C-alpha cells in the first residue's frame, strides 16, 4: 500500500512539473529580431508585421516584397482593411494556449490583419472567376499591407457596387461570425425572438441586421450612448445594460448571442425558452483559463438541461461572404464604422480595439 502511495505521489509530482514546464514554455516571449527588408526583386510594398509577442509596440511598419500570385491566385491592391479582436490576440499571443498553433515564443506567421477590400491587380494563369480591375473583399492573414495574394476559391468574393471599400472591409470576420452564430449554431428561424448581448460591437452590429434579415424579433443590449445607433440598424427593442439587467427582466428568448460574457450561464438559462439556444462568441479576459471558462461551463452544463449552450469557432468561407454581399446589395446590411486610421497608425487602431469601446468596426485606410 505504501508503494502505491509513493508511486501516486511521484506521478503527481511529475505531472505538476510537466504542467509548470508547459506554462513557462507557453508564456515565454522571445526577444524581437531585426525586421527584414524588401529584396527589390518584385517591387516593395508597405506592410505591418510583428516578429515577437507583446503590446502594440511590436507592430512594425516595414517594406517587403509585393507577393506574386500563384497560378490559382489573384493579387489584390488593398484599399481598406479592418481591425478585429483576433488581431490583438495574435499580437499578444494570448490566451497562451493559442501559441501551440501560432508559435512558441514568437509568432510563426508574422503578418497582421485579416479583413480587406480592394481591386484585383493581377491574376494567375488558371484564374477564371476574377479579372484585373474587379472590386473584391475577403479575408486572409496579412491584410494590413498594400497588396495581398489569395487563391480564387478561398475567402474572397465580389464587392457590391453600393458599398464602399471601407464598408466591405469591415465585413469578413465580424459578419461571418454573426452569420454562423445565428444561422448555424443558433438555428434561428423567422418569427423567433433573439437577444444580442453586445449589440454595438463589431459582431453585434452585424448580428442585429442579419437576425432582422432572417425574420427574427431582435433585442439588442448596449450602453446608453449606443441606444440610438442600435435602434437605427433595426433592433426592435434595446436594453440599456447600465440601467437594466436583461437576465432579470422577465422576458424569454429563443436565442441569445453573447459576445461579452458578463452574465453567468445559469442566469442566461432563466431567460431562454425551454428549447432555447445560447451561443458563446468570444470569452472572458485573461492569459490563461479566463477566456475558456464560459465555453467549458457550457459544455459541462449541456447534458443536464434542455436548452443548448454552444461555442462558436467561426471560419471564413467564400459562400458566406457571397451571402453577406447579397444582403448588402439588397440594403439589408449597412456596416457600422467607428473610426478610420492610416496604415502607419495600425498600432493606435489595435489599441483602440483592445480597449473594447469601439462602436461597430475600425477601418484601416490603405493609400
Amino acid at each position: 500500500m505504501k508503494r502505491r502511495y509513493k508511486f501516486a505521489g511521484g506521478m503527481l509530482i511529475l505531472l505538476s512539473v510537466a504542467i509548470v514546464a508547459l506554462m513557462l514554455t507557453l508564456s515565454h516571449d522571445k526577444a524581437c529580431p531585426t525586421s527584414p527588408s524588401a529584396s527589390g526583386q518584385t517591387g516593395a510594398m508597405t506592410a505591418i508585421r510583428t516578429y515577437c509577442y507583446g503590446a502594440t509596440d511590436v507592430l512594425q511598419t516595414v517594406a517587403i516584397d509585393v507577393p506574386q500570385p500563384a497560378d490559382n491566385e489573384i493579387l489584390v491592391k488593398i484599399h481598406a482593411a479592418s481591425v478585429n479582436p483576433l488581431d490583438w490576440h495574435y499580437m499578444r499571443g494570448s490566451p497562451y494556449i493559442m501559441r501551440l498553433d501560432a508559435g512558441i515564443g514568437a509568432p510563426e506567421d508574422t503578418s497582421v490583419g485579416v479583413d480587406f477590400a480592394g481591386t484585383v491587380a493581377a491574376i494567375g494563369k488558371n484564374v477564371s472567376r476574377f479579372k484585373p480591375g474587379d472590386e473584391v473583399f475577403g479575408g486572409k492573414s496579412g491584410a494590413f499591407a498594400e497588396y495581398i495574394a489569395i487563391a480564387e476559391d478561398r475567402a474572397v468574393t465580389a464587392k457590391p457596387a453600393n458599398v464602399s471599400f471601407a464598408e466591405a472591409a469591415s465585413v469578413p470576420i465580424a459578419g461571418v461570425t454573426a452569420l454562423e452564430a445565428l444561422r448555424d449554431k443558433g438555428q434561428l428561424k423567422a418569427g423567433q425572438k433573439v437577444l444580442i448581448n453586445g449589440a454595438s460591437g463589431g459582431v453585434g452590429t452585424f448580428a442585429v441586421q442579419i437576425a432582422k434579415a432572417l425574420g427574427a424579433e431582435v433585442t439588442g443590449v448596449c450602453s446608453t450612448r449606443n441606444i440610438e445607433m442600435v435602434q437605427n440598424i433595426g433592433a426592435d427593442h434595446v436594453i440599456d445594460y447600465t440601467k437594466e439587467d436583461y437576465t432579470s427582466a422577465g422576458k424569454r428568448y429563443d436565442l441569445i448571442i453573447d459576445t461579452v460574457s458578463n452574465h453567468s450561464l445559469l442566469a442566461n438559462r432563466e431567460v431562454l425558452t425551454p428549447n432555447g439556444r445560447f451561443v458563446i462568441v468570444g470569452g472572458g479576459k485573461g492569459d490563461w483559463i479566463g477566456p475558456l471558462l464560459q465555453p467549458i461551463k457550457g459544455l459541462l452544463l449541456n447534458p443536464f438541461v434542455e436548452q443548448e449552450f454552444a461555442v462558436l469557432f467561426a471560419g471564413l468561407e467564400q459562400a458566406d461572404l457571397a451571402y453577406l454581399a447579397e444582403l448588402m446589395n439588397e440594403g439589408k446590411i449597412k456596416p457600422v464604422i467607428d473610426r478610420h486610421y492610416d496604415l502607419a497608425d495600425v498600432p493606435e487602431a489595435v489599441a483602440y480595439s483592445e480597449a473594447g469601446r469601439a462602436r461597430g468596426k475600425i477601418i484601416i485606410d490603405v493609400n
Side-chain angles (χ1 to χ4, degrees):
M1 187 65 71
K2 290 183 178 180
R3 288 183 178 179
R4 288 184 183 178
Y5 289 146
K6 289 182 179 180
F7 178 77
M11 292 301 294
L12 183 60
I13 292 173
L14 288 175
L15 179 61
S16 300
V17 170
I19 292 174
V20 171
L22 178 62
M23 292 176 66
L24 291 173
T25 299
L26 290 178
S27 61
H28 173 66
D29 293 335
K30 293 181 180 179
C32 281
T34 302
S35 60
S37 57
S39 67
Q41 296 178 351
T42 62
M45 70 171 184
T46 301
I48 305 297
R49 291 291 187 266
T50 178
Y51 302 96
C52 55
Y53 294 125
T56 54
D57 58 354
V58 304
L59 298 173
Q60 301 182 38
T61 302
V62 299
I64 59 175
D65 293 331
V66 174
Q68 297 302 294
D71 291 347
N72 66 331
E73 290 184 332
I74 61 175
L75 179 68
V76 179
K77 178 177 176 57
I78 298 175
H79 298 303
S82 72
V83 180
N84 294 283
L86 180 70
D87 300 322
W88 53 263
H89 278 297
Y90 270 97
M91 175 190 76
R92 292 187 177 274
S94 174
Y96 293 140
I97 191 70
M98 68 184 294
R99 297 188 181 192
L100 293 173
D101 176 64
I104 305 296
E108 294 179 359
D109 181 0
T110 63
S111 58
V112 188
V114 176
D115 296 346
F116 68 85
T119 304
V120 176
I123 62 174
K125 65 179 183 180
N126 295 332
V127 172
S128 59
R129 293 186 63 247
F130 302 99
K131 64 182 184 301
D134 285 351
E135 296 181 348
V136 298
F137 74 104
K140 183 186 177 184
S141 182
F144 294 163
E146 292 181 300
Y147 291 89
I148 195 167
I150 183 171
E152 68 166 342
D153 62 350
R154 299 304 294 272
V156 60
T157 195
K159 180 184 78 67
N162 63 333
V163 301
S164 67
F165 285 110
E167 289 172 326
S170 75
V171 171
I173 286 184
V176 169
T177 297
L179 175 63
E180 294 182 1
L182 292 162
R183 183 195 62 193
D184 302 338
K185 288 291 185 179
Q187 298 182 19
L188 183 64
K189 298 177 177 61
Q192 289 187 323
K193 296 180 179 180
V194 58
L195 179 138
I196 313 296
N197 188 21
S200 62
V203 173
T205 51
F206 284 111
V208 168
Q209 298 177 79
I210 294 170
K212 287 299 296 180
L214 294 174
E217 180 182 327
V218 181
T219 298
V221 181
C222 62
S223 64
T224 307
R225 74 185 185 105
N226 294 319
I227 290 177
E228 184 177 357
M229 181 267 285
V230 174
Q231 289 174 331
N232 289 340
I233 61 175
D236 299 290
H237 317 283
V238 181
I239 296 175
D240 182 348
Y241 72 79
T242 68
K243 299 178 180 178
E244 182 181 0
D245 183 348
Y246 74 85
T247 65
S248 58
K251 297 181 180 179
R252 288 184 175 269
Y253 304 92
D254 300 291
L255 173 62
I256 295 176
I257 305 297
D258 186 16
T259 71
V260 292
S261 297
N262 59 352
H263 292 85
S264 72
L265 296 185
L266 291 179
N268 278 288
R269 179 172 178 260
E270 293 301 315
V271 293
L272 282 173
T273 57
N275 296 311
R277 294 172 178 270
F278 183 89
V279 180
I280 301 168
V281 179
K285 296 181 178 180
D287 292 325
W288 293 104
I289 196 66
L292 305 176
L293 278 178
Q294 199 82 325
I296 291 172
K297 290 177 181 178
L299 294 174
L300 294 175
L301 185 60
N302 269 334
F304 304 100
V305 296
E306 293 182 358
Q307 297 104 327
E308 181 175 346
F309 291 84
V311 182
L312 177 69
F313 298 99
L316 286 177
E317 300 291 342
Q318 189 176 83
D320 289 341
L321 289 176
Y323 177 79
L324 294 172
E326 185 59 29
L327 290 182
M328 286 190 289
N329 189 53
E330 295 172 355
K332 294 179 180 179
I333 290 181
K334 179 68 173 177
V336 176
I337 295 175
D338 186 335
R339 297 184 183 184
H340 289 255
Y341 292 86
D342 291 332
L343 185 60
D345 296 323
V346 162
E348 184 180 348
V350 172
Y352 181 56
S353 173
E354 192 172 9
R357 303 299 296 171
R359 305 171 63 188
K361 293 303 300 289
I362 303 163
I363 299 301
I364 304 300
D365 295 316
V366 183
N367 299 317

